[in-house]
Structures are given as C-alpha cells and as structure tokens.
Amino acid sequence: MKKICLLIICYFLNFHFSIAQEYKSFKLHSHNDYLNKVPFWEAFIADCASIEADVILKEGELMVAHEGATIKKERTLKSLYLSPIQKAKELGLVDDFGFHLLIDLKTESYSTLEVLVKQLKEFEPMLYSPANQNGLKIIVSGNRPKVEDYSDYPSWILFDYQSRTLNDQLPWEKIGMVSLNFRKFSVWNGKGSIVEQEKEKLISFIQQVHSFGKPVRFWATPDSKSAWKAFYDLDIDYINTDMPYEASQYLSNLDKNI
C-alpha cells in the first residue's frame, strides 16, 4: 500500500512540475479536499491556492471528517495534511507557500482551537507569521470564536470571516479571507447566465471585500465549466470546487487563450 501511495505521489509531483511553469491568473479552493483519494497531494498538484479540511475533535485528537459517523482513526489532521505538507517542504517541493490550509471546525470552537494550537506548535517553523511572510497560512473556518477573541490566538492562526457586515472596526490583521454562502446572492445553478441583478450584488460585495485588502470565497456554488468561467470573470479570488484537477485544466486553457 505504501509503495502504491508513493508511486501516486511521484506521478502527481511530476505532473505538478510540468504545469507549475504555466502562468495562472485564477486560484482554486479545494472544497471537501479530504474526500479525495490522496488528500493534500491532489490539491497540491492541481495548484490549489486554498485547501480545506473538516475537523472534529474526538478524545483529544483532531479527526478529519464531516460528521462523527465517518471518522476513521487513521485520518487525522496531522497524518493527512500537516505531515505531508511538512514533507513537501523538506523535499524542496515548496519554497514560498502558494497555498493556505483552511481548517473547518465541526466541533465547539474554543475547545477544538485549544487542541489545534497545541498541535500546530510542532509545525510552527513552517507557518505564516509577520516574521515568516512566506510560511503556510492556517485559516480557521466553521465554528470560530467571537470576532473580539481573534487576537487571543497566535499570529500564525487567521480566521475566515463570514458576514456581510464589513467595517474598519474589524480585526482585519487576523482575517485571512471573507467567505459567504453563494445562495445569499444568487440562485444560479451553473446553466445559462447569472441574472444581471444577482451578478451586480456579487460584484458589489467582492469589491467591498477587496477594499479592505482581503480575498473572497463563496461556498454552495455550482461546480461546472460554465460556473468556473463565470467566477473567473467575476474576479472571485478563490473559486470553490470539488474537482480541483478538472477545474485547473479548464481554467489553465482559458488563461492560454487570453
């Protein structure tokens, strides 16, 4: 089994280097990344700029799963993500991190974050901070602490802000991105075109987020070529997809024709 995994990873890495030289003006968010056959590596070779892992705190361990019924003891945050990312760094496959890890907390925020902080300290040298601008950004999503408590956490932990209320009073230095449900703006199913009025709402919100110097992401989005193209045109910073390889190939070809 280990040999098979190694061969798969080697194949992925060869492919990654073959496409890495291509210029990309888009960024992908690998949604539900942990459901892929080789978590992290598939998103990595597809040049995803945002990689998502759902995490459940169980018996003191951070398990990667969407709900308790799907937990498997070998699938931990450390084994599926932190250790492989560190290995990629050690092998020289990563110099300046071009992606961040979005950790979606499915259990109570404060207790889960306490364990996450302890676990991340082992990997602190590779994490982003004001002193390590090229490190790996950790962005906490899902169940998050109160906004006023963001500053209580280490500099290498950022948060996924999920509200349409945007103002100068927010702790923007602790916000890694702004994310919202696409359905709050549009009912578009990915076929045809987005209704103009809904498109205007999206553009207005995206521009507002950008005015604070932060990237924007939407979830619950259609996941198809027409959707990827529409989100590309809308200047959405992280295009949400469950198919990172397919999305990367399609959008790469769009870039070549521009």
Side-chain angles (χ1 to χ4, degrees), residues 150-178:
Y150 285 5
S151 60
D152 294 340
Y153 293 90
S155 59
W156 31 265
I157 286 187
L158 302 174
F159 293 92
D160 185 24
Y161 185 71
Q162 298 180 6
S163 172
R164 296 176 78 164
T165 302
L166 306 172
N167 55 57
D168 293 327
Q169 284 68 53
L170 291 172
W172 289 107
E173 72 281 357
K174 293 295 292 180
I175 294 174
M177 66 161 57
V178 176

Tab-separated table of all heavy atoms in Angstrom, residues 150-178:
chain	number	residue	atom	x	y	z
A	150	TYR	N	-10.409	36.975	18.361
A	150	TYR	CA	-9.433	36.561	17.349
A	150	TYR	C	-8.002	36.877	17.773
A	150	TYR	O	-7.073	36.083	17.542
A	150	TYR	CB	-9.710	37.257	16.008
A	150	TYR	CG	-10.891	36.722	15.229
A	150	TYR	CD1	-11.735	35.741	15.750
A	150	TYR	CD2	-11.184	37.208	13.952
A	150	TYR	CE1	-12.820	35.264	15.018
A	150	TYR	CE2	-12.255	36.740	13.217
A	150	TYR	CZ	-13.074	35.775	13.750
A	150	TYR	OH	-14.138	35.308	13.030
A	151	SER	N	-7.813	38.026	18.382
A	151	SER	CA	-6.465	38.471	18.733
A	151	SER	C	-5.851	37.663	19.876
A	151	SER	O	-4.656	37.811	20.161
A	151	SER	CB	-6.481	39.956	19.110
A	151	SER	OG	-7.341	40.180	20.216
A	152	ASP	N	-6.633	36.795	20.506
A	152	ASP	CA	-6.110	35.962	21.595
A	152	ASP	C	-5.274	34.790	21.073
A	152	ASP	O	-4.628	34.093	21.865
A	152	ASP	CB	-7.257	35.400	22.446
A	152	ASP	CG	-8.008	36.481	23.207
A	152	ASP	OD1	-7.434	37.574	23.385
A	152	ASP	OD2	-9.160	36.241	23.614
A	153	TYR	N	-5.291	34.592	19.757
A	153	TYR	CA	-4.625	33.427	19.181
A	153	TYR	C	-3.309	33.810	18.513
A	153	TYR	O	-3.106	34.973	18.131
A	153	TYR	CB	-5.579	32.734	18.194
A	153	TYR	CG	-6.768	32.131	18.924
A	153	TYR	CD1	-7.934	32.872	19.125
A	153	TYR	CD2	-6.690	30.861	19.476
A	153	TYR	CE1	-9.000	32.349	19.840
A	153	TYR	CE2	-7.751	30.327	20.191
A	153	TYR	CZ	-8.894	31.077	20.374
A	153	TYR	OH	-9.939	30.560	21.101
A	154	PRO	N	-2.393	32.836	18.382
A	154	PRO	CA	-1.062	33.115	17.817
A	154	PRO	C	-1.130	33.783	16.445
A	154	PRO	O	-2.127	33.645	15.719
A	154	PRO	CB	-0.430	31.717	17.719
A	154	PRO	CG	-1.130	30.915	18.748
A	154	PRO	CD	-2.540	31.411	18.765
A	155	SER	N	-0.073	34.451	16.082
A	155	SER	CA	-0.036	35.172	14.811
A	155	SER	C	-0.176	34.244	13.618
A	155	SER	O	-0.567	34.683	12.534
A	155	SER	CB	1.273	35.964	14.695
A	155	SER	OG	2.390	35.092	14.766
A	156	TRP	N	0.149	32.945	13.816
A	156	TRP	CA	0.051	32.003	12.700
A	156	TRP	C	-1.341	31.378	12.564
A	156	TRP	O	-1.522	30.433	11.789
A	156	TRP	CB	1.116	30.909	12.797
A	156	TRP	CG	1.562	30.499	14.159
A	156	TRP	CD1	2.648	30.970	14.844
A	156	TRP	CD2	0.953	29.530	15.024
A	156	TRP	NE1	2.753	30.359	16.071
A	156	TRP	CE2	1.727	29.464	16.208
A	156	TRP	CE3	-0.163	28.702	14.911
A	156	TRP	CZ2	1.428	28.613	17.265
A	156	TRP	CZ3	-0.482	27.852	15.963
A	156	TRP	CH2	0.304	27.819	17.126
A	157	ILE	N	-2.326	31.900	13.275
A	157	ILE	CA	-3.707	31.472	13.083
A	157	ILE	C	-4.532	32.677	12.633
A	157	ILE	O	-4.594	33.698	13.316
A	157	ILE	CB	-4.316	30.862	14.359
A	157	ILE	CG1	-3.738	29.458	14.590
A	157	ILE	CG2	-5.841	30.793	14.244
A	157	ILE	CD1	-4.389	28.695	15.721
A	158	LEU	N	-5.145	32.544	11.457
A	158	LEU	CA	-6.043	33.552	10.916
A	158	LEU	C	-7.462	32.973	10.883
A	158	LEU	O	-7.658	31.775	11.111
A	158	LEU	CB	-5.590	33.964	9.516
A	158	LEU	CG	-4.169	34.527	9.409
A	158	LEU	CD1	-3.798	34.768	7.953
A	158	LEU	CD2	-4.032	35.813	10.207
A	159	PHE	N	-8.422	33.814	10.557
A	159	PHE	CA	-9.807	33.364	10.589
A	159	PHE	C	-10.548	33.693	9.292
A	159	PHE	O	-10.203	34.626	8.566
A	159	PHE	CB	-10.536	33.986	11.788
A	159	PHE	CG	-10.014	33.488	13.108
A	159	PHE	CD1	-8.998	34.178	13.765
A	159	PHE	CD2	-10.508	32.328	13.682
A	159	PHE	CE1	-8.490	33.729	14.976
A	159	PHE	CE2	-10.007	31.865	14.889
A	159	PHE	CZ	-9.000	32.556	15.534
A	160	ASP	N	-11.566	32.876	9.031
A	160	ASP	CA	-12.418	33.010	7.860
A	160	ASP	C	-13.657	33.802	8.290
A	160	ASP	O	-14.536	33.268	8.964
A	160	ASP	CB	-12.803	31.602	7.375
A	160	ASP	CG	-13.603	31.616	6.091
A	160	ASP	OD1	-13.499	32.596	5.332
A	160	ASP	OD2	-14.336	30.634	5.845
A	161	TYR	N	-13.712	35.067	7.925
A	161	TYR	CA	-14.818	35.927	8.347
A	161	TYR	C	-16.044	35.652	7.478
A	161	TYR	O	-15.949	35.640	6.251
A	161	TYR	CB	-14.401	37.394	8.242
A	161	TYR	CG	-15.435	38.357	8.764
A	161	TYR	CD1	-15.691	38.454	10.131
A	161	TYR	CD2	-16.145	39.182	7.891
A	161	TYR	CE1	-16.640	39.356	10.615
A	161	TYR	CE2	-17.086	40.086	8.362
A	161	TYR	CZ	-17.333	40.160	9.723
A	161	TYR	OH	-18.277	41.049	10.202
A	162	GLN	N	-17.207	35.431	8.106
A	162	GLN	CA	-18.396	35.025	7.363
A	162	GLN	C	-19.599	35.913	7.690
A	162	GLN	O	-20.551	35.490	8.334
A	162	GLN	CB	-18.711	33.558	7.652
A	162	GLN	CG	-17.613	32.615	7.214
A	162	GLN	CD	-17.909	31.154	7.491
A	162	GLN	OE1	-18.996	30.800	7.919
A	162	GLN	NE2	-16.930	30.296	7.253
A	163	SER	N	-19.522	37.139	7.252
A	163	SER	CA	-20.612	38.089	7.468
A	163	SER	C	-20.560	39.169	6.400
A	163	SER	O	-19.489	39.494	5.882
A	163	SER	CB	-20.503	38.737	8.855
A	163	SER	OG	-21.444	39.790	9.002
A	164	ARG	N	-21.731	39.730	6.088
A	164	ARG	CA	-21.794	40.822	5.110
A	164	ARG	C	-21.517	42.165	5.776
A	164	ARG	O	-21.463	43.190	5.109
A	164	ARG	CB	-23.162	40.827	4.433
A	164	ARG	CG	-23.415	39.567	3.623
A	164	ARG	CD	-24.801	39.515	3.023
A	164	ARG	NE	-24.911	40.357	1.846
A	164	ARG	CZ	-25.904	40.264	0.962
A	164	ARG	NH1	-26.847	39.348	1.120
A	164	ARG	NH2	-25.956	41.074	-0.076
A	165	THR	N	-21.355	42.140	7.097
A	165	THR	CA	-21.032	43.363	7.832
A	165	THR	C	-19.534	43.596	7.777
A	165	THR	O	-18.749	42.889	8.407
A	165	THR	CB	-21.484	43.267	9.304
A	165	THR	OG1	-22.893	43.026	9.350
A	165	THR	CG2	-21.154	44.554	10.051
A	166	LEU	N	-19.127	44.577	7.003
A	166	LEU	CA	-17.714	44.887	6.810
A	166	LEU	C	-17.471	46.335	7.199
A	166	LEU	O	-18.142	47.236	6.692
A	166	LEU	CB	-17.311	44.673	5.348
A	166	LEU	CG	-17.620	43.299	4.739
A	166	LEU	CD1	-17.345	43.316	3.243
A	166	LEU	CD2	-16.826	42.208	5.411
A	167	ASN	N	-16.502	46.534	8.097
A	167	ASN	CA	-16.193	47.904	8.504
A	167	ASN	C	-14.767	47.989	9.039
A	167	ASN	O	-14.081	46.973	9.193
A	167	ASN	CB	-17.191	48.400	9.559
A	167	ASN	CG	-17.268	47.468	10.754
A	167	ASN	OD1	-16.264	47.197	11.401
A	167	ASN	ND2	-18.474	46.976	11.056
A	168	ASP	N	-14.329	49.191	9.333
A	168	ASP	CA	-12.960	49.425	9.786
A	168	ASP	C	-12.692	48.905	11.190
A	168	ASP	O	-11.538	48.822	11.613
A	168	ASP	CB	-12.647	50.926	9.746
A	168	ASP	CG	-12.604	51.475	8.332
A	168	ASP	OD1	-12.192	50.719	7.427
A	168	ASP	OD2	-12.997	52.644	8.128
A	169	GLN	N	-13.743	48.580	11.928
A	169	GLN	CA	-13.567	48.134	13.305
A	169	GLN	C	-13.196	46.648	13.414
A	169	GLN	O	-12.799	46.173	14.482
A	169	GLN	CB	-14.846	48.384	14.124
A	169	GLN	CG	-15.056	49.835	14.533
A	169	GLN	CD	-15.344	50.748	13.354
A	169	GLN	OE1	-16.254	50.466	12.564
A	169	GLN	NE2	-14.566	51.807	13.210
A	170	LEU	N	-13.308	45.927	12.334
A	170	LEU	CA	-12.971	44.504	12.359
A	170	LEU	C	-11.462	44.301	12.502
A	170	LEU	O	-10.676	45.118	11.999
A	170	LEU	CB	-13.455	43.822	11.077
A	170	LEU	CG	-14.975	43.689	10.920
A	170	LEU	CD1	-15.308	43.185	9.520
A	170	LEU	CD2	-15.558	42.749	11.968
A	171	PRO	N	-11.038	43.211	13.161
A	171	PRO	CA	-9.594	42.942	13.309
A	171	PRO	C	-9.035	42.342	12.019
A	171	PRO	O	-8.717	41.150	11.951
A	171	PRO	CB	-9.562	41.930	14.465
A	171	PRO	CG	-10.860	41.195	14.340
A	171	PRO	CD	-11.864	42.211	13.871
A	172	TRP	N	-8.892	43.166	10.999
A	172	TRP	CA	-8.507	42.684	9.672
A	172	TRP	C	-7.158	41.976	9.667
A	172	TRP	O	-6.909	41.106	8.823
A	172	TRP	CB	-8.497	43.848	8.680
A	172	TRP	CG	-9.877	44.325	8.355
A	172	TRP	CD1	-10.478	45.485	8.759
A	172	TRP	CD2	-10.855	43.629	7.571
A	172	TRP	NE1	-11.768	45.564	8.280
A	172	TRP	CE2	-12.023	44.433	7.536
A	172	TRP	CE3	-10.863	42.414	6.879
A	172	TRP	CZ2	-13.171	44.063	6.858
A	172	TRP	CZ3	-12.020	42.036	6.195
A	172	TRP	CH2	-13.153	42.859	6.190
A	173	GLU	N	-6.279	42.316	10.595
A	173	GLU	CA	-4.977	41.647	10.652
A	173	GLU	C	-5.104	40.175	11.019
A	173	GLU	O	-4.173	39.387	10.787
A	173	GLU	CB	-4.054	42.358	11.642
A	173	GLU	CG	-4.394	42.167	13.114
A	173	GLU	CD	-5.549	43.040	13.583
A	173	GLU	OE1	-6.053	43.845	12.764
A	173	GLU	OE2	-5.942	42.921	14.761
A	174	LYS	N	-6.264	39.767	11.568
A	174	LYS	CA	-6.492	38.364	11.943
A	174	LYS	C	-7.458	37.668	10.997
A	174	LYS	O	-7.820	36.506	11.218
A	174	LYS	CB	-7.033	38.285	13.375
A	174	LYS	CG	-6.045	38.717	14.447
A	174	LYS	CD	-4.837	37.782	14.511
A	174	LYS	CE	-5.225	36.399	15.016
A	174	LYS	NZ	-4.035	35.492	15.081
A	175	ILE	N	-7.880	38.343	9.951
A	175	ILE	CA	-8.816	37.768	8.992
A	175	ILE	C	-8.052	37.370	7.734
A	175	ILE	O	-7.417	38.202	7.084
A	175	ILE	CB	-9.938	38.767	8.661
A	175	ILE	CG1	-10.797	39.010	9.912
A	175	ILE	CG2	-10.793	38.253	7.510
A	175	ILE	CD1	-11.850	40.090	9.731
A	176	GLY	N	-8.117	36.076	7.411
A	176	GLY	CA	-7.392	35.578	6.249
A	176	GLY	C	-8.181	35.679	4.965
A	176	GLY	O	-7.615	35.848	3.879
A	177	MET	N	-9.505	35.567	5.065
A	177	MET	CA	-10.374	35.690	3.906
A	177	MET	C	-11.797	35.941	4.387
A	177	MET	O	-12.104	35.784	5.573
A	177	MET	CB	-10.336	34.450	3.017
A	177	MET	CG	-10.902	33.201	3.676
A	177	MET	SD	-11.361	31.900	2.492
A	177	MET	CE	-9.831	31.652	1.636
A	178	VAL	N	-12.647	36.323	3.463
A	178	VAL	CA	-14.070	36.505	3.751
A	178	VAL	C	-14.834	35.498	2.907
A	178	VAL	O	-14.643	35.429	1.692
A	178	VAL	CB	-14.529	37.940	3.426
A	178	VAL	CG1	-16.034	38.082	3.651
A	178	VAL	CG2	-13.764	38.958	4.281
